[in-house]
């Protein structure tokens, strides 16, 4: 199958030009001006942007968490992602304590089997390096294409690791070519603050945010940066929310340390006002780190513009409000942490970032596709539009209005963090490895057609392997 996309405005992290793109089989084979070639299908993209398929480096599909399981599995999550212009994501394979990494990976591979629509890789979330998971096994994971590890410095009694485990994992990563990711919040201090709040009778969702103040994020971010530097490991700080965490990352980067950070869409748009909403509506905005004071919105826009932060993910961890969030109706600490977002990252960042003049189109592509691909061993196979790269392309209509609602979304969550927001600009057609997966408002791909991607080691490139048809 060959597809010729004609006359679109091709946007990469570096380029912006009008051209034709030929996709043969799974890969881009030719880019040029007014290409005179035959193709099985010709798509007129005049007036549209051609963006690389977006790469979401942070999602949680079909994940047991907080006494329940996230609402989206690989089929519903991938459907949401595809409609939002995301064609690759890296999900978290959580090591159940006492389980080897190999066993955990088998469990997560089974979850995607027969369901995957977009392509994905896995990060390993390390919970235990004593029983089950070993340092040796961890060191061997890059051979299976698992080239990043996440460690949780919070969620005491559940996913949290101590500094012993964190530092040992960093030492392994320094040798094995993996990237260390941290959830940077001080879990011990949060545990004290939560108990104090509950003892004082504060049970409502707002106290989720008040017991996880910016200082605990700033402290853990700085600790992780210093420890990673000592161990010689590259570090990626996930879901950065506030000035207290941006500043140590920016300072480390100025010194040339191998530190990167991401924020997530929701931290630009949700705030303490949302989590304080009455009648338990605030529970929709319970995720960690929590929503912050609105003054942090500009801090984050400046950080993504200036490259203090290098990527925007979704941290899609969807629950239903009517059922799952209500597990914490009488105790905020029992509300499952996480929110939906896979479908609306491009909508929201294009409208409020690009259209409203906060970032350039090129920078948007860099933050949503190219940098995540580079940092997580997917580039240049993913994250750009170039000859030889996978045919992952979003034909994006920059002028078409789109209303963000839970009713219109493809996630199984029953709410949307940006409910009722009117944006201008939406994906019109989405290609994943040369196959049209969304067209005319319909999903056109078969569940099971998404591929597991074995990612390259940190700093190494990943080339497409499929032959041009
Ligand atoms: O609240 C969140 N972010 N849930 C997902 C797990 C995590 O910490 O990333
Ligand atoms: Zn986290
Ligand atoms: Zn997460």
């Amino acid at each position: 199958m060959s597809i010729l996309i004609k006359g679109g405005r091709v946007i990469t992290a570096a380029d912006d030009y009008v051209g034709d793109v030929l996709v043969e089989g799974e890969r881009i084979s030719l880019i040029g001006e007014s290409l005179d070639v035959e193709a099985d299908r010709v798509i007129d993209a005049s007036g549209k942007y051609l963006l690389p398929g977006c790469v979401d480096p942070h999602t949680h599909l079909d994940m047991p968490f907080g006494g329940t399981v996230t609402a989206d599995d690989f089929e519903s999550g991938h459907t949401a992602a595809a409609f939002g212009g995301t064609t690759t994501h890296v999900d978290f394979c959580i090591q159940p304590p006492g389980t080897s990494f190999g066993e955990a990976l088998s469990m997560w591979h089974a979850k995607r089997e027969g369901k995957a629509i977009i392509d994905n890789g896995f990060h390993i979330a390390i919970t235990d390096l004593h029983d089950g998971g070993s340092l040796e096994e961890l060191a061997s994971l890059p051979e299976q294409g698992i080239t990043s590890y996440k460690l949780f410095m919070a969620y005491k009694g559940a996913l949290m690791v101590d500094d012993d485990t964190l530092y040992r994992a960093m030492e392994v990563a320094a040798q094995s070519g993996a990237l260390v990711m941290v959830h940077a919040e001080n879990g011990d201090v949060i545990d004290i603050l939560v108990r104090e709040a509950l003892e004082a009778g504060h049970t409502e969702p707002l106290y989720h945010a008040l017991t996880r103040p910016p200082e605990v994020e700033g402290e853990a971010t700085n600790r992780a940066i210093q420890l990673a530097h000592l161990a010689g490991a590259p570090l990626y700080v996930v879901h950065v929310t506030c000035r207290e965490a941006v500043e140590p990352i920016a300072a480390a980067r100025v010194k040339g340390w191998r530190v990167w950070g991401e924020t997530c869409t929701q931290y630009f748009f949700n705030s303490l006002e949302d989590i304080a909403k009455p009648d338990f509506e605030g529970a929709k905005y319970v995720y960690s780190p929590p929503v912050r004071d609105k003054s942090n919105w500009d801090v984050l826009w400046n950080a993504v513009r200036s490259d203090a932060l290098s990527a925007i993910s979704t941290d899609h961890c969807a629950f239903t409000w009517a059922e799952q969030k209500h597990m914490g109706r009488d105790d905020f600490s029992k509300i499952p942490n996480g929110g939906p977002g896979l479908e609306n990252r491009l909508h929201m960042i294009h409208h409020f970032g690009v259209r409203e003049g906060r970032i350039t189109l090129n920078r948007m592509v860099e933050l949503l596709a190219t940098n995540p691909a580079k940092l997580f061993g997917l580039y240049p196979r993913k994250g750009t539009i170039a000859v030889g790269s996978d045919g992952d392309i979003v034909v994006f209509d920059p002028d078409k209005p789109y209303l963000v609602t839970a009713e219109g979304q493809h996630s199984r969550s029953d709410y949307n963090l940006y409910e009722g927001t009117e944006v201008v600009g939406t994906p019109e057609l989405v290609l994943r490895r040369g196959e049209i997966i969304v067209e005319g408002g319909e999903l056109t791909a078969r569940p099971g057609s998404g591929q597991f991607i074995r990612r390259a080691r940190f700093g190494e490139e990943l080339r497409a392997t499929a032959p041009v048809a």
Side-chain angles (χ1 to χ4, degrees):
M1 175 79 176
S2 58
I3 299 178
L4 177 64
I5 311 174
K6 286 193 78 66
R9 187 170 153 196
V10 180
I11 318 282
T12 70
D15 308 305
D16 185 342
Y17 55 86
V18 173
D20 299 349
V21 179
L22 180 67
V23 181
E24 289 182 278
E26 297 192 348
R27 293 165 52 194
I28 297 169
S29 59
L30 195 61
I31 302 176
E33 207 175 357
S34 306
L35 290 179
D36 187 16
V37 289
E38 297 282 310
D40 299 323
R41 167 110 192 247
V42 178
I43 295 167
D44 176 11
S46 43
K48 311 283 160 57
Y49 297 161
L50 301 188
L51 308 174
C54 293
V55 178
D56 193 336
H58 187 159
T59 58
H60 303 275
L61 301 180
D62 202 353
M63 180 181 83
F65 192 47
T68 182
V69 178
T70 55
D72 283 316
D73 67 2
F74 279 77
E75 189 169 335
S76 61
H78 281 193
T79 305
F83 276 92
T86 291
T87 52
T88 307
H89 73 121
V90 191
D91 203 72
F92 287 92
C93 164
I94 313 279
Q95 173 207 15
T99 305
S100 72
F101 299 119
E103 286 166 326
L105 278 166
S106 301
M107 290 162 63
W108 254 262
H109 277 292
K111 289 172 190 279
R112 61 176 297 294
E113 208 49 48
K115 295 187 173 180
I117 294 162
I118 64 168
D119 290 350
N120 82 282
F122 288 126
H123 313 285
I124 276 282
I126 301 169
T127 60
D128 162 24
L129 278 176
H130 301 289
D131 309 311
S134 70
L135 294 172
E136 294 70 32
E137 196 193 3
L138 188 63
S140 72
L141 290 181
E143 287 152 31
Q144 297 176 49
I146 310 294
T147 54
S148 41
Y149 322 142
K150 180 175 180 184
L151 296 105
F152 291 89
M153 300 167 80
Y155 304 130
K156 193 169 178 177
L159 301 173
M160 178 171 152
V161 296
D162 57 14
D163 286 351
D164 177 315
T165 300
L166 175 61
Y167 190 71
R168 284 173 193 277
M170 287 173 167
E171 285 186 331
V172 171
Q175 298 302 320
S176 71
L179 176 61
V180 175
M181 310 165 77
V182 282
H183 173 129
E185 287 185 294
N186 186 317
D188 284 319
V189 173
I190 290 168
D191 200 49
I192 295 170
L193 297 177
V194 168
R195 272 189 279 125
E196 287 175 353
L198 289 173
E199 277 162 21
H202 299 306
T203 58
E204 58 271 44
L206 173 64
Y207 281 85
H208 172 75
L210 300 185
T211 55
R212 307 177 89 101
E215 289 87 344
V216 299
E217 188 181 338
E219 183 280 328
T221 302
N222 189 44
R223 180 162 29 115
I225 290 170
Q226 300 297 332
L227 295 181
H229 185 62
L230 187 64
L235 179 74
Y236 181 89
V237 184
V238 300
H239 47 43
V240 171
T241 70
C242 57
R243 182 184 298 284
E244 286 75 358
V246 168
E247 283 178 353
I249 294 170
R253 290 176 60 70
V254 166
K255 285 184 280 193
W257 292 12
R258 294 195 301 162
V259 174
W260 291 265
E262 75 171 17
T263 188
C264 314
T265 323
Q266 56 271 29
Y267 295 114
F268 296 107
F269 304 105
N270 295 157
S271 76
L272 290 170
E273 283 178 18
D274 293 306
I275 203 168
K277 284 181 181 162
D279 302 325
F280 202 59
E281 208 189 328
K284 295 176 179 173
Y285 305 90
V286 168
Y287 42 76
S288 296
V291 288
R292 299 293 183 200
D293 182 88
K294 279 182 178 171
S295 63
N296 284 289
W297 293 355
D298 276 346
V299 172
L300 296 177
W301 282 116
N302 286 336
V304 294
R305 192 167 44 238
S306 66
D307 207 36
L309 297 179
S310 308
I312 303 173
S313 73
T314 64
D315 192 5
H316 180 91
C317 185
F319 296 105
T320 59
W321 179 73
E323 284 187 26
Q324 292 176 299
K325 291 283 183 181
H326 273 74
M327 291 165 63
R329 187 71 182 91
D330 302 317
D331 174 351
F332 71 87
S333 71
K334 295 195 170 63
I335 301 170
N337 286 200
L342 247 173
E343 190 158 348
N344 301 122
R345 181 177 57 146
L346 179 56
H347 288 130
M348 296 296 285
I349 300 302
H350 170 259
H351 184 96
F352 294 97
V354 178
R355 281 185 74 91
E356 296 200 348
R358 295 181 175 93
I359 55 172
T360 65
L361 257 179
N362 298 105
R363 182 63 179 161
M364 179 188 80
V365 168
E366 198 165 32
L367 291 163
L368 304 190
T370 317
N371 279 350
K374 284 183 175 169
L375 286 161
F376 291 100
L378 293 159
Y379 185 85
R381 182 170 168 190
K382 305 289 189 187
T384 194
I385 295 179
V387 171
S389 295
D390 278 357
D392 296 346
I393 298 174
V394 180
V395 180
F396 186 87
D397 186 339
D399 300 314
K400 188 169 176 188
Y402 180 87
L403 183 64
V404 181
T405 62
E407 209 189 338
Q409 74 190 8
H410 297 84
S411 164
R412 290 186 187 141
S413 180
D414 54 358
Y415 70 97
N416 189 297
L417 294 173
Y418 322 111
E419 185 68 31
T421 305
E422 289 176 33
V423 297
V424 176
T426 189
E428 179 178 286
L429 182 144
V430 180
L431 265 85
R432 181 233 52 214
R433 275 183 290 103
E435 181 183 350
I436 296 171
I437 61 171
V438 172
E439 184 176 20
E442 299 291 332
L443 184 75
T444 51
R446 174 183 57 82
S449 59
Q451 261 183 20
F452 171 70
I453 308 288
R454 294 166 70 100
R455 294 177 294 121
R457 285 180 164 79
F458 181 73
E460 293 180 5
E461 292 196 337
L462 184 74
R463 297 276 161 190
T465 48
V468 168

